[in-house]
Amino acid sequence: MPERNLTDYVRAANSPLIDPERNRQVGSGSARFELYHFALSICSHKVRACLFEKGAAFMSHDIGILPPVLENCHPDYVRLRMQGGKGREMVDGYTGRSSMNAEGFDPAAVPTLVDHEEGQVHVDSVAICQHVDRAWQGGTELMPASLRREIEREIEVVDGTPHVAILYGAHPDGDFRPEALRTSMTGAHDYKIMKLMEGRSLSVGHPRLTGAYDAKIRKEAAARRFVASPDMMRTATNEVLKAVAELDGRLADGREWACGDAFTMADIMWTASLWRMKWLGMGFAWEGGHALNDTVHDRVGAYAARLFERPSFQEAVIGWPGSLPSEHVMEHYPDAASRESESAARSETIGGHGRDIREESLTGAVLATMKGTSNPRARQVLSALTRHLHAFLEEVQPTEAEWEHGIEFLTRTGHLSTGGRQEFVLLSDVTGATARVDLINNRFPSGATENSVLGPFFVADRPAFENGEDISGGIKGKPMFFNARVIDTDGQPVAGARVDIWHSDDDGHYDIMLPEQKDPAMRGLFRSDAHGRIWFTSILPKSYPIPDDGTVGDLLRVSNRSIMRPAHVHVRVEAPGYRRLTTMLFLDGDRHLDSDPVFGVKQSLIMPFVERTDQRAPDGKKVPSPAYCVEYDFVLARAT
Ligand code: BEZ
Ligand code: FE
């Protein structure tokens, strides 16, 4: 294959970028610079402000870098960006900062600048700004030689501030970030990783590219850990506060700008930094009056006011389409009040999400409709559902016919769900959702018996039995003798526990499935004795198919999956002071143990049911001989 040149990389990266509002020429004249950036990104603020300060025209590609759009994860963009990352250390780990010096080269970040005149790609906001300042004749001189060292020192301070961490993560002692941001940042790292994996899979066969994706995936996984750590987030916030307090000290000599009387590159960087703090709700870093900072830093306040009035900032941020205000910066948006009242008026009639529905704004618009959900849990659930559904659609890119097929599948599932046959529950079972909910809600300490799914055959109306009785209800089969104890995690017996048992017959049918069977059979309620023991006789259960004549059957067949549940005895144990245990014992040797369609099998629940002739009940009474005997200790976790 012939070597690609820069024009090929640019052409490939640009081919999906067709929205004329986000892909347009800014300013007139030279088409020297082509910039890939994002309306809301702090590094993009720096570069745009720099370009406006210099008066440089540029071709702007305002790409979506938030879930679910993530245009920055596309291999064609990554390939182009990597032309500017040659010879740089690939990103390694996560520090909560975004500069290349702190983190290494991030192959899927913004901004990226192509300089067509010199045929180079530049990455990293500081490097781009310095390049533009050098290469573009005109506008403000941003790096005067006499101030170079001071400017570089200020740039280093801003670069060392963990802005990315405070954007993606909540402060553990109270999240001050804008409402809309909080919602869209929940789960953002998972989305990113998913989209990066997709990009990686499209890049197989290109080791440099897959290597870059691997590094970026590791970074996002580390970022996810970082923002979930209260200690890291506290430290990050303190570093931001410290940077502001120290800046206030440097401004004490009355200088107008960060390095003296001239506006320089240092001020571009501080504008982005202070604006990001303000936008995030962290203006208290200099305004005080907050539990995290009570000190007022007046000099930073006055400096920030000057910075925010600068025309280059006004053009690059306030006036930039899609550079949304947050509730913390409304006063900086001249038309914010009219915008708000206009949108409030609209929301009364159509639900409040506005009318600017585009690919990258749709998910946000739907999330905005949840703002009025007064129950916080309902709001969390609805928002997460929206985000994941939209990400799913973005990943799958369904055709209209496929989407209709999906709707029709769910409609049929609903029609099949009645009191007796619950196809939706079965769908939850075979998709692992039931098992996931079970795992989430029953995280018992080690040593306790593992929980498993309840299944549809438990009935509350079951007969009570004394220990030693036969619960088979006269159904024929191979005799089974079940001998168990209920104990706690210290090995002490739990007396008086209620132990529910239910299982299938020799053909895999439960009593409620047998048309001739009027009375309960193969199910019953026991109480553990003073030693924690319960025991009974019944018949040996058999593996059985889950219902496969509905939509769930169709689904399993598409993936060539088994419909057979391995043979098992269901057990539910309840005792005051302990967590309820719902579980089942599986018959060792069953050939369906590794392909349970409902994901109920756990190794610790598989037991030999051994054919014996010498078995005695705990009270010394004889049991049927031979019988398939099982012994098990059900270990209960203490209620907390
Ligand atoms: C059961 O073991 O009874 C069962 C569990 C989930 C789906 C179908 C059956
Ligand atoms: Fe079952």
Side-chain angles (χ1 to χ4, degrees):
M1 222 166 54
E3 254 309 272
R4 276 188 176 204
N5 61 33
L6 183 57
T7 319
D8 298 330
Y9 286 114
V10 169
R11 195 177 297 129
N14 289 357
S15 78
L17 308 177
I18 49 170
D19 177 352
E21 277 181 35
R22 294 189 299 132
N23 301 280
R24 64 191 169 96
Q25 173 76 21
V26 176
S28 55
S30 157
R32 172 172 186 173
F33 297 130
E34 189 150 10
L35 178 69
Y36 301 78
H37 62 122
F38 173 54
L40 291 168
S41 113
I42 178 169
C43 294
S44 303
H45 288 175
K46 295 175 189 171
V47 171
R48 290 204 301 268
C50 172
L51 286 160
F52 282 116
E53 196 65 48
K54 299 296 293 179
F58 59 103
M59 178 65 198
S60 158
H61 299 286
D62 188 340
I63 64 176
I65 66 165
L66 291 180
V69 179
L70 294 169
E71 286 168 313
N72 55 316
C73 297
H74 195 281
D76 285 328
Y77 173 70
V78 173
R79 260 205 193 97
L80 169 63
R81 185 169 164 84
M82 282 177 69
Q83 303 311 303
K86 284 183 180 153
R88 316 268 188 166
E89 287 282 313
M90 196 57 82
V91 66
D92 181 21
Y94 180 77
T95 63
R97 295 160 181 82
S98 61
S99 83
M100 194 154 56
N101 289 341
E103 296 239 311
F105 169 64
D106 180 329
V110 288
T112 299
L113 182 91
V114 179
D115 181 337
H116 286 287
E117 205 166 295
E118 58 153 29
Q120 295 287 333
V121 177
H122 297 266
V123 294
D124 186 77
S125 54
V126 171
I128 294 174
C129 289
Q130 289 178 339
H131 172 72
V132 170
D133 188 47
R134 261 194 315 271
W136 187 261
Q137 302 305 313
T140 315
E141 189 188 356
L142 293 169
M143 294 288 287
S146 59
L147 292 172
R148 178 165 287 273
R149 282 203 29 233
E150 287 89 331
I151 296 171
E152 280 172 353
R153 250 202 314 273
E154 293 297 330
I155 291 177
E156 217 171 284
V157 175
V158 175
D159 263 6
T161 312
H163 280 291
V164 190
I166 59 168
L167 177 76
Y168 277 86
H171 194 280
D173 306 325
D175 193 353
F176 40 74
R177 297 172 305 161
E179 196 57 43
L181 180 75
R182 289 187 212 184
T183 335
S184 59
M185 284 303 161
T186 321
H189 294 113
D190 298 318
Y191 270 82
K192 285 191 183 185
I193 291 171
M194 199 177 78
K195 204 76 174 181
L196 289 163
M197 285 177 166
E198 197 181 307
R200 189 194 190 282
S201 68
L202 293 171
S203 315
V204 170
H206 302 274
R208 243 172 62 75
L209 205 51
T210 51
Y213 273 107
D214 288 341
K216 173 73 169 164
I217 290 169
R218 281 196 300 276
K219 171 184 170 177
E220 295 303 331
R224 184 172 53 189
R225 284 194 298 279
F226 188 110
V227 300
S229 155
D231 283 349
M232 304 268 218
M233 286 307 299
R234 270 193 202 101
T235 309
T237 313
N238 288 339
E239 285 172 18
V240 177
L241 295 174
K242 187 163 161 263
V244 171
E246 289 177 357
L247 171 65
D248 199 65
R250 293 196 294 283
L251 294 172
D253 60 8
R255 59 180 81 173
E256 189 180 358
W257 304 110
C259 297
D261 297 333
F263 182 94
T264 66
M265 191 73 83
D267 301 300
I268 298 251
M269 302 301 152
W270 272 116
T271 317
S273 174
L274 295 174
W275 176 255
R276 172 47 52 89
M277 290 180 213
K278 182 89 180 135
W279 187 87
L280 272 182
M282 236 190 129
F284 61 76
W286 60 90
E287 289 156 6
H290 191 276
L292 293 173
N293 175 49
D294 211 16
T295 316
V296 180
H297 297 298
D298 270 339
R299 288 180 292 255
V300 174
Y303 173 54
R306 282 194 291 281
L307 293 176
F308 299 160
E309 274 169 21
R310 188 91 182 167
S312 59
F313 168 77
Q314 288 285 326
E315 276 189 280
V317 178
I318 301 289
W320 188 265
S323 169
L324 307 170
S326 76
E327 58 264 41
H328 305 293
V329 293
M330 281 303 184
E331 77 268 21
H332 291 274
Y333 283 76
D335 60 344
S338 57
R339 268 204 234 183
E340 258 199 318
S341 63
E342 194 189 310
S343 84
R346 237 184 273 149
S347 65
E348 274 165 30
T349 48
I350 60 162
H353 52 69
R355 55 184 71 171
D356 189 19
I357 303 300
R358 288 170 285 125
E359 244 194 294
E360 69 284 6
S361 66
L362 173 63
T363 311
V366 181
L367 289 170
T369 65
M370 275 132 212
K371 267 193 180 161
T373 315
S374 48
N375 179 328
R377 180 65 172 163
R379 182 172 170 169
Q380 182 194 14
V381 171
L382 291 173
S383 305
L385 183 67
T386 304
R387 284 186 285 103
H388 287 264
L389 176 63
H390 283 240
F392 163 77
L393 294 170
E394 272 299 317
E395 181 184 337
V396 171
Q397 304 270 309
T399 63
E400 282 162 334
E402 285 170 338
W403 188 239
E404 267 174 41
H405 186 71
I407 300 271
E408 193 260 337
F409 175 89
L410 292 175
T411 307
R412 270 197 299 139
T413 306
H415 286 153
L416 283 168
S417 298
T418 61
R421 163 87 181 262
Q422 238 299 355
E423 194 77 356
F424 259 118
V425 175
L426 204 57
L427 185 60
S428 157
D429 296 340
V430 302
T431 53
T434 307
R436 173 66 65 196
V437 174
D438 172 38
L439 289 164
I440 289 168
N441 286 283
N442 297 292
R443 296 184 180 116
F444 296 158
S446 85
T449 300
E450 292 187 273
N451 220 73
S452 189
V453 297
L454 176 69
F457 301 118
F458 172 79
V459 288
D461 187 16
R462 70 288 195 210
F465 286 98
E466 294 296 327
N467 277 319
E469 286 193 272
D470 175 9
I471 67 165
S472 68
I475 311 273
K476 295 281 167 280
K478 295 175 184 152
M480 168 176 78
F481 181 66
F482 196 102
N483 189 6
R485 278 196 317 158
V486 182
I487 58 174
D488 64 19
T489 45
D490 297 326
Q492 295 304 307
V494 178
R498 291 156 60 90
V499 182
D500 260 297
I501 302 289
W502 68 106
H503 65 84
S504 75
D505 69 7
D506 212 4
D507 288 323
H509 294 119
Y510 285 82
D511 53 358
I512 52 176
M513 299 156 92
L514 298 168
E516 303 298 310
Q517 187 66 31
K518 296 285 168 277
D519 297 324
M522 305 171 291
R523 66 176 73 243
L525 176 64
F526 293 85
R527 271 202 188 267
S528 59
D529 71 7
H531 304 286
R533 299 176 304 197
I534 65 126
W535 67 96
F536 62 89
T537 60
S538 190
I539 56 167
L540 199 64
K542 190 78 179 284
S543 55
Y544 59 85
I546 61 166
D548 72 332
D549 56 345
T551 46
V552 167
D554 293 347
L555 187 71
L556 296 180
R557 272 186 291 279
V558 164
S559 306
N560 281 319
R561 279 172 62 180
S562 165
I563 57 169
M564 297 299 290
R565 289 226 66 205
H568 56 272
V569 176
H570 292 270
V571 183
R572 174 173 263 190
V573 188
E574 288 169 290
Y578 295 92
R579 306 274 306 268
R580 181 172 74 188
L581 171 67
T582 305
T583 193
M584 46 190 126
L585 290 190
F586 294 92
L587 278 60
D588 197 9
D590 190 297
R591 65 195 183 90
H592 303 293
L593 281 169
D594 291 317
S595 52
D596 181 10
V598 305
F599 308 97
V601 180
K602 292 167 183 175
Q603 185 59 45
S604 67
L605 302 175
I606 302 173
M607 291 302 291
F609 283 59
V610 184
E611 191 176 14
R612 290 173 65 163
T613 52
D614 58 346
Q615 184 74 23
R616 288 263 162 200
D619 58 3
K621 292 213 177 96
K622 277 195 65 183
V623 301
S625 175
Y628 288 85
C629 301
V630 64
E631 289 185 7
Y632 199 81
D633 282 344
F634 293 98
V635 185
L636 299 187
R638 278 202 179 74
T640 44

